[in-house]
Amino acid sequence: MDVLFVGLGSIGTRHLNNLHEIGRRRGIPVHADALRSGTRPLREGAAQLLRNQYTSVEQLPPRYDAIFITNPTSMHRDTLDALRGRAETLFIEKPIFDDPDADLAALGLADDQGQKAYVAAPMRWCGTMLALKEKLPGLRPYSARVICSSYLPDWRPGVDYRTVYSAHRDLGGGVTIDLIHEWDYLVELFGMPLESYNLRGTYSDLEIDSDDLSVYIARYPSLLAEVHLDYFGRTYRRTIELFCKDGTVTADFGAGTLTLADGTVERYEEPVNERYLREMDYFVTYALTGTGPSVNTPATALQVLRLTLGKA
């Protein structure tokens, strides 16, 4: 499998490692190149997993089985434009863009243009989420309450949080789209809401210029949903509570538990990387043998981005 990585920060390096691991498990040789814009040293072990490192598009081979777009969100559109037609399949890190008005057709990414593409959605592959989705048809919730609260300086140990894209609006940072996972899985569970309202801004003492708090309320045909996202919570919380006729069902993605309406606690604890490995296993299958749309197409991802930014 010949692949190209554009962007080898923390998430790109994770995907590079996981791609090699899935290749090893499945007996698929992986040959990975990198297109780099600078000379900053790669994270430990990454260089050994690369075949070649290039500094310009003109140096690249004409075609890859897959290209991973894992650079900052603000660079995705220009990168996709520069690499159009060079990949059988694209893996695009979330959020797909920082601009809700991006033109997918101009990039060859519209559903009817034939480019295979998957936009990252790792929460969909979390063990607790998979268990919740299995039970959802029998729950009939009246209300959903979602929270993702964490402390941005703790996200990347050893890295000054003020230097990463999350801290800077002009790089596509901000909790509203950085934590697009929550809306991604809500749309997967319940579809697009009929209407939604959002208030957001910068309220904490973090030294950032992006938004650190975003709160939503949304209306579906049969339920209301509340969503709270922040960068300043000192105790990590990532849960969805579903209020149903027989009681409350709570999926705690941090603890890896699913608490049912009768109080039964089902446990799905696992290393965080397991969800990324499941995602990569899916992507390898889709890239090498899959046809038709992926489970998260650019069109769907852009629709979720527009919802997240209040542009739906």
Side-chain angles (χ1 to χ4, degrees):
M1 186 175 184
D2 291 328
V3 305
L4 175 70
F5 278 79
V6 186
L8 282 172
S10 59
I11 190 63
T13 302
R14 181 192 290 272
H15 291 319
L16 176 64
N17 279 294
N18 286 344
L19 176 62
H20 277 276
E21 173 60 20
I22 295 300
R24 183 193 64 79
R25 293 181 185 180
R26 296 176 56 172
I28 299 170
V30 173
H31 307 290
D33 296 339
L35 177 61
R36 307 192 64 207
S37 58
T39 59
R40 187 171 64 177
L42 294 171
R43 293 171 183 266
E44 184 177 356
Q48 288 70 41
L49 298 177
L50 296 172
R51 176 178 56 184
N52 295 302
Q53 297 185 46
Y54 299 105
T55 57
S56 71
V57 173
E58 291 72 27
Q59 297 172 325
L60 297 175
R63 193 77 171 169
Y64 285 95
D65 294 315
I67 294 178
F68 289 76
I69 309 298
T70 49
N71 52 3
T73 304
S74 60
M75 302 173 69
H76 285 185
R77 184 161 52 175
D78 288 345
T79 302
L80 287 162
D81 187 39
L83 296 174
R84 181 173 177 175
R86 289 180 174 266
E88 294 292 332
T89 312
L90 296 167
F91 182 111
I92 307 169
E93 187 51 46
K94 64 83 189 168
I96 184 171
F97 302 122
D98 58 356
D99 176 10
D101 298 318
D103 185 348
L104 292 179
L107 297 169
L109 295 176
D111 285 346
D112 61 356
Q113 290 179 291
Q115 173 65 65
K116 292 170 59 178
Y118 167 77
V119 181
M123 284 294 293
R124 296 187 183 200
W125 306 96
C126 166
T128 307
M129 179 63 72
L130 294 172
L132 175 63
K133 285 190 287 190
E134 189 174 296
K135 291 179 170 57
L136 186 62
L139 296 182
R140 294 182 58 245
Y142 307 140
S143 173
R145 185 163 60 194
V146 171
I147 183 170
C148 186
S149 176
S150 59
Y151 190 50
L152 181 61
D154 291 343
W155 278 28
R156 302 168 179 89
V159 176
D160 186 341
Y161 76 92
R162 294 167 294 189
T163 66
V164 302
Y165 80 90
S166 299
H168 300 286
R169 188 180 306 276
D170 62 354
L171 294 179
V175 74
T176 299
I177 59 174
D178 211 3
L179 296 180
I180 199 171
H181 294 290
E182 270 49 48
W183 268 115
D184 173 78
Y185 79 67
L186 268 176
V187 168
E188 189 193 20
L189 293 175
F190 302 116
M192 290 288 291
L194 299 174
E195 57 183 328
S196 65
Y197 302 91
N198 171 234
L199 294 173
R200 61 180 180 267
T202 308
Y203 293 92
S204 75
D205 292 328
L206 292 172
E207 296 177 50
I208 64 177
D209 61 39
S210 59
D211 50 291
D212 59 13
L213 176 63
S214 195
V215 178
Y216 299 82
I217 187 165
R219 182 170 66 89
Y220 285 88
S222 61
L223 62 85
L224 290 179
E226 308 161 66
V227 180
H228 170 108
L229 311 172
D230 75 60
Y231 274 157
F232 47 72
R234 295 302 185 98
T235 301
Y236 177 69
R237 293 181 62 193
R238 193 166 218 169
T239 63
I240 179 172
E241 296 174 279
L242 299 177
F243 299 88
C244 310
K245 178 181 178 181
D246 296 325
T248 303
V249 174
T250 302
D252 187 325
F253 305 113
T257 58
L258 182 62
T259 303
L260 306 181
D262 63 2
T264 301
V265 178
E266 298 182 354
R267 300 193 175 277
Y268 301 94
E269 298 101 324
E270 61 185 8
V272 169
N273 197 49
E274 286 301 311
R275 69 189 64 167
Y276 291 96
L277 284 168
R278 289 191 193 101
E279 179 178 53
M280 188 59 67
D281 192 38
Y282 157 77
F283 179 75
V284 168
T285 297
Y286 176 61
L288 295 181
T289 65
T291 60
S294 69
V295 298
N296 195 30
T297 66
T300 299
L302 186 59
Q303 187 179 33
V304 172
L305 175 65
R306 288 171 176 161
L307 167 64
T308 301
L309 295 176
K311 304 291 185 178

